[in-house]
């Protein structure tokens, strides 16, 4: 790795501001790395001369990798799906616009599970992404390309989206930091929708400072997304070195792993407990807490998310975007052939699940019930946050698993999200930081806080990160 690309993103921005390094050279260094990507992390890499940058802009030309599902004007945006083959959007997502407005340069688009449905990046029309820690293993998903690119130093930082864990879980499996902000913190305008009441954009970065810096330029109200809100205060760069006075709650229900087999792997539990001990050493108090409805979060999520997806994906009909198969025969046949060939198996499964859950006669029994469980989960968190500042759990029950090992078992795949799904259902922010390794593979530690607690969460994560001292530099070599 060159000295240039070994610099973190915030450090690179500072060096550009101080005119110690040149943004064009930094861009070329990353483009070379991204262009030689052996992990299949990128679906598109920028070509041509480096775009002109303003060295005085806050992000000063630091390159950015963007998950494929963010619309980028004139640049392929397929959300990992064959059905959007050839689609080049006529506009750019607000979050990407905010970041380019702050000075970043677009390095490339990253691979992902099709329409963000998955936890292993194996559901992509572009093929799976390989985990840089072990190329026989998955990087997690659905933002697997973004996580792998950051971990392997193919990009200084990246953005992804999280609906049920798609930023935090791949961050955990690749040993990087991932933040899912409060629902509404980032505009969803121009994000190819999966489940609109859950989808949130967020940063993936090498450390908490870089993640905070990137997030600080992503957020904000956007009149084109009526669910977006202005944060009560700007995101600031964290400086905390201790956790004095912080009360951490450890939810029994999530640590128990549920009765359907999401037991936390011993190596993950060990790293989690070691991190709690570090937190205590930094001045935090730790106690168990209850989230009684959390074990039902997965069932509720796998009704609500597919229900919303089935509606959102109705627009891919072969007429308006991307792929069209046939068209000489009648319209219904063209729709059927386009959707039949354009969507992958997991996406079809979700459309069927969602359509069923919303159908008359089943609506109350499935979708309606799931919404009630969602409310109960939000209530559980509210009660817990009366006693605790943050909730701590492992991010994923296990470390990166072998490619193909869960691909034919959707239920086993869904269990990946056991600890990450409750937070988006409640709309609250959560992040994952690397807490160490188990058998040479990174483990993620998750912290969740009340709505709009991004700054205190980042502060706590910063203090912990320093105490953990995780070193991911070996996979960036
Ligand atoms: N793995 C979960 C799913 O497949 C979450 C995906 C996401 O957050 N986009 O739905």
């Amino acid at each position: 790795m060159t000295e240039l690309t070994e610099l973190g993103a915030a450090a690179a921005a500072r060096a550009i501001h101080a005119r110690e390094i040149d943004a064009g050279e930094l861009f070329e260094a990353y483009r070379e790395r991204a262009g030689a990507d052996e992990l299949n992390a990128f679906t598109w890499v920028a070509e041509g001369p480096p775009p002109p940058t303003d060295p005085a802009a806050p992000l000063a030309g630091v390159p950015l990798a963007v998950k494929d599902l963010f619309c980028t004007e004139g640049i392929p945006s397929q959300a990992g799906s064959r059905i959007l083959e050839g689609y080049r959007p006529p506009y750019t997502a607000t979050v990407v616009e905010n970041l380019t407005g702050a000075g970043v340069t677009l390095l490339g688009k990253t691979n992902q599970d099709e329409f963000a449905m998955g936890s292993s990046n194996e559901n992509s029309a572009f093929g799976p992404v390989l985990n840089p820690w072990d190329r026989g293993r998955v990087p997690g998903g659905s933002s697997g390309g973004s996580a792998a690119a950051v971990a392997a130093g193919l990009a200084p930082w990246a953005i992804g989206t999280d609906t049920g864990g798609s930023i935090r879980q791949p961050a955990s499996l690749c040993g990087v930091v991932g933040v899912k902000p409060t629902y509404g913190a980032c505009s969803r305008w121009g994000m190819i929708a999966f489940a609109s009441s859950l989808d949130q954009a967020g940063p993936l970065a090498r450390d908490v400072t870089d993640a905070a810096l990137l997030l600080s330029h992503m957020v904000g109200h956007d009149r084109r997304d009526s669910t977006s809100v202005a944060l009560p205060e700007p995101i600031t760069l964290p400086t905390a070195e201790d956790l004095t006075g912080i009360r951490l709650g450890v939810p029994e229900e999530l640590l128990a792993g549920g009765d359907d087999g999401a037991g936390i792997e011993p190596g993950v539990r060990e790293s989690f407990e070691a991190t709690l001990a570090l937190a205590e050493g930094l001045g935090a108090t730790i106690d168990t807490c209850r989230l009684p409805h959390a074990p039902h979060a997965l069932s509720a999520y796998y009704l609500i998310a597919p229900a919303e997806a089935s509606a959102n994906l109705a627009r891919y009909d072969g007429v308006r975007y991307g792929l069209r198969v046939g068209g000489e025969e009648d319209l219904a046949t063209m729709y059927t052939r386009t959707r039949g060939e354009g969507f992958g198996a997991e996406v079809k499964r979700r459309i069927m699940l969602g359509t069923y859950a919303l159908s008359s006669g089943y609506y109350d029994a499935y979708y309606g019930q799931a919404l009630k469980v969602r409310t109960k989960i939000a209530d559980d968190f509210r009660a817990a946050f009366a006693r605790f500042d943050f909730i701590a759990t492992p991010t994923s029950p296990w470390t990166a698993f072998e490619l193909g090992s869960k691909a034919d078992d959707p239920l086993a795949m869904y269990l990946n999200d056991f600890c990450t799904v409750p937070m988006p259902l409640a709309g609250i922010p959560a992040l994952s930081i690397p807490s160490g390794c188990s058998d040479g593979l990174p483990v993620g530690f998750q912290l969740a806080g009340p709505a709009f607690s991004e700054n205190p969460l980042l502060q706590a994560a910063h203090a912990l990160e320093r105490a953990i001292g995780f070193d991911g530099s070996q996979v960036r070599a």
Side-chain angles (χ1 to χ4, degrees):
M1 187 159 216
T2 70
E3 269 168 50
L4 272 182
T5 53
E6 190 46 52
L7 274 181
R14 271 197 308 276
I16 295 169
H17 290 151
R19 305 196 185 256
E20 289 159 9
I21 65 168
D22 176 67
E25 280 172 31
L26 182 71
F27 187 78
E28 283 304 344
Y30 274 109
R31 182 158 57 185
E32 201 174 302
R33 290 181 69 84
D37 166 26
E38 291 174 356
L39 304 172
N40 200 24
F42 284 90
T43 57
W44 177 87
V45 177
E47 286 169 8
T53 53
D54 171 7
L59 302 181
V62 178
L64 175 75
V66 171
K67 189 177 184 179
D68 193 28
L69 62 66
F70 288 93
C71 286
T72 41
E73 186 182 342
I75 290 169
S77 307
Q78 280 184 238
S81 182
R82 202 187 151 213
I83 210 160
L84 280 170
E85 216 168 63
Y87 178 56
R88 289 172 184 254
Y91 65 96
T92 297
T94 300
V95 160
V96 177
E97 237 169 29
N98 288 350
L99 290 172
T100 51
V104 301
T105 48
L106 177 62
L107 174 66
K109 301 293 288 286
T110 54
N111 202 345
Q112 59 163 98
D113 284 298
E114 185 176 7
F115 289 106
M117 298 174 193
S119 309
S120 68
N121 219 121
E122 292 168 296
N123 305 332
S124 166
F126 296 98
V129 176
L130 314 183
N131 189 314
W133 291 79
D134 175 347
R135 294 183 182 191
R137 293 174 189 269
V138 305
S142 62
S143 311
S146 289
V150 173
L154 309 181
W157 52 13
I159 57 173
T161 57
D162 192 310
T163 303
S166 277
I167 291 174
R168 293 161 287 154
Q169 186 257 6
S172 165
L173 270 48
C174 289
V176 299
V177 173
V179 183
K180 184 211 90 76
T182 305
Y183 183 78
C186 294
S187 167
R188 287 180 295 107
W189 199 78
M191 264 165 54
I192 296 172
F194 165 14
S196 307
S197 78
L198 298 158
D199 297 344
Q200 255 306 287
L204 292 109
R206 287 182 208 166
D207 61 32
V208 175
T209 303
D210 284 358
L213 179 61
L214 194 56
L215 180 61
S216 72
H217 293 284
M218 296 172 72
V219 296
H221 171 67
D222 176 9
R223 60 177 179 77
R224 294 168 296 191
D225 172 6
S226 60
T227 65
S228 70
V229 285
L231 293 182
E233 54 181 27
I235 304 284
T236 51
L237 297 193
T239 53
E241 295 182 9
D242 64 68
L243 295 172
T244 309
I246 299 290
R247 300 156 302 165
L248 290 184
V250 178
E252 281 172 23
E253 294 82 359
L254 291 180
L255 269 288
D259 14 307
D260 38 10
I264 312 289
E265 223 169 55
V268 170
R269 187 178 288 272
E270 229 168 80
S271 172
F272 177 69
E273 272 157 17
T275 307
L276 290 181
L278 284 176
E280 220 163 10
L282 292 172
T285 52
I286 294 157
D287 207 347
T288 53
C289 76
R290 299 288 321 274
L291 294 175
H293 299 88
H296 305 297
L298 211 55
S299 314
Y301 172 85
Y302 277 99
L303 286 165
I304 294 169
E308 294 184 18
S310 70
N312 274 327
L313 270 52
R315 73 190 70 175
Y316 304 107
D317 54 7
V319 176
R320 287 170 288 184
Y321 317 87
L323 181 77
R324 173 181 301 172
V325 183
E328 306 77 31
E329 58 298 87
D330 61 292
L331 198 57
T333 310
M334 189 279 284
Y335 288 160
T336 311
R337 290 186 58 197
T338 300
R339 289 169 69 84
E341 291 178 36
F343 288 135
E346 182 60 28
V347 171
K348 287 180 190 160
R349 182 177 296 118
R350 305 278 179 115
I351 292 174
M352 288 188 277
L353 279 171
T355 307
Y356 184 78
L358 290 174
S359 58
S360 71
Y362 294 102
Y363 185 99
D364 288 335
Y366 292 110
Y367 185 67
Q369 281 298 103
L371 289 184
K372 287 181 195 163
V373 172
R374 183 177 189 171
T375 303
K376 289 286 183 198
I377 289 166
D379 289 345
D380 284 357
F381 276 114
R382 218 168 287 125
F385 289 132
R387 285 183 55 216
F388 297 99
D389 296 290
F390 307 120
I391 304 291
T393 74
T395 308
S396 161
W398 34 73
T399 55
F401 43 95
E402 281 172 17
L403 283 158
S405 62
K406 296 181 199 273
D408 298 328
D409 186 349
L411 289 179
M413 193 64 91
Y414 297 169
L415 288 174
N416 279 293
D417 311 321
F418 187 74
C419 294
T420 50
V421 141
M423 297 79 186
L425 285 172
I428 61 175
L431 52 78
S432 178
I433 58 171
S435 61
C437 281
S438 163
D439 285 333
L441 295 169
V443 177
F445 180 86
Q446 177 173 237
L447 281 179
F452 304 118
S453 64
E454 276 80 356
N455 278 329
L457 260 179
L458 289 161
Q459 292 286 5
H462 181 263
L464 265 178
E465 171 183 69
R466 286 175 51 97
I468 294 166
F470 180 81
D471 181 9
S473 61
Q474 80 212 65
V475 287
R476 294 198 296 270

